[in-house]
């Protein structure tokens, strides 16, 4: 009898560890007797537990479910934070110090103050310095935008030996 209770508790723990956050919410709303049909409750051998044992099992399960739900919330929060960092890189020195690598949409026609460069990742950058280079024409070249000091960013176009200072506008 004692062995089957332990096996039952171990099975419940395994099933609970695989539960999704939605299932976790559902289980937290009631105890096992409310969540299971009478046939399921009996088939699991839970009808053999004393009321105090059943209450202890319900409390333990609800604690595990709450922990799973908390972990899921924390994971979702971290994923959201990472999405914000990636989306806003380049604005006000936001995000990591790693370079941004992408390609230009359309043609690169050189450098010039006020030129706008739209990247394949949807970011738009505007040149803010006086660097000029005319006559360079490349179709959808690879680019790297590197952070510098004091929030400055520099655009380097593959195959061009100049770089220009840029700021993100979109």
């Amino acid at each position: 009898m004692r062995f089957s209770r332990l096996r039952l508790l171990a099975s419940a723990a395994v099933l609970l560890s695989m539960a999704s956050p939605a299932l976790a919410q559902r289980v937290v709303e009631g105890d096992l007797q409310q969540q299971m049909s009478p046939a399921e409750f009996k088939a699991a051998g839970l009808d053999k537990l004393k009321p105090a044992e059943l209450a202890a099992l319900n409390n333990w399960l609800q604690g595990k479910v709450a922990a799973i739900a908390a972990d899921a919330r924390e994971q979702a929060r971290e994923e959201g934070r990472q999405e914000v960092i990636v989306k806003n890189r380049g604005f006000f020195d936001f995000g990591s110090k790693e370079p941004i690598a992408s390609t230009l949409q359309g043609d690169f026609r050189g450098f010039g103050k006020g030129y706008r460069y739209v990247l394949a990742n949807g970011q738009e950058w505007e040149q803010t310095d006086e660097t000029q280079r005319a006559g360079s024409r490349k179709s959808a070249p690879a680019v790297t935008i590197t952070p510098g000091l004091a929030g400055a960013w520099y655009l380097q176009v593959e195959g061009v030996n100049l770089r220009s200072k840029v700021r993100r506008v979109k």
Side-chain angles (χ1 to χ4, degrees), residues 27 80 89 134-135:
V27 174
R89 285 206 54 216

Side-chain angles (χ1 to χ4, degrees), residues 48-60:
K48 298 173 187 157
L49 295 177
K50 296 176 185 168
E53 292 171 327
L54 184 57
L57 177 58
N58 280 321
N59 287 338
W60 180 82

Side-chain angles (χ1 to χ4, degrees), residues 1-160:
M1 180 85 155
R2 194 75 165 139
F3 177 71
S4 66
R5 282 187 193 163
L6 290 175
R7 195 169 81 195
L8 173 66
L9 288 173
S11 297
V14 168
L15 289 173
L16 183 62
S17 70
M18 297 184 306
S20 69
L23 177 61
Q25 289 297 324
R26 194 181 117 227
V27 174
V28 168
E29 292 172 1
D31 62 24
L32 288 171
Q33 204 162 7
Q34 293 172 335
Q35 294 296 316
M36 301 171 88
S37 71
E40 292 171 324
F41 192 78
K42 186 172 181 159
L46 295 175
D47 61 325
K48 298 173 187 157
L49 295 177
K50 296 176 185 168
E53 292 171 327
L54 184 57
L57 177 58
N58 280 321
N59 287 338
W60 180 82
L61 284 173
Q62 291 200 14
K64 289 293 186 183
V65 167
I68 290 169
D71 287 347
R73 282 191 303 274
E74 183 59 34
Q75 182 179 355
R77 187 176 301 121
E78 180 60 22
E79 288 171 1
R81 189 177 80 75
Q82 290 300 322
E83 182 179 326
V84 167
I85 287 172
V86 168
K87 183 178 179 183
N88 292 299
R89 285 206 54 216
F91 286 123
F92 311 109
D93 198 28
F94 192 90
S96 74
K97 298 292 183 189
E98 295 298 314
I100 297 170
S102 188
T103 57
L104 284 180
Q105 287 184 355
D107 291 339
F108 171 72
R109 296 188 178 158
F111 290 120
K113 186 170 184 165
Y115 282 21
R116 292 213 174 187
Y117 308 96
V118 179
L119 306 185
N121 65 12
Q123 296 177 357
E124 189 171 332
W125 296 76
E126 180 178 38
Q127 184 174 331
T128 59
D129 67 2
E130 301 291 333
T131 302
Q132 289 192 355
R133 169 120 187 202
S136 295
R137 186 176 181 130
K138 297 181 176 286
S139 183
V143 297
T144 304
I145 300 178
T146 309
L149 296 176
W153 290 84
Y154 296 92
L155 171 71
Q156 177 76 50
V157 177
E158 184 179 53
V160 176

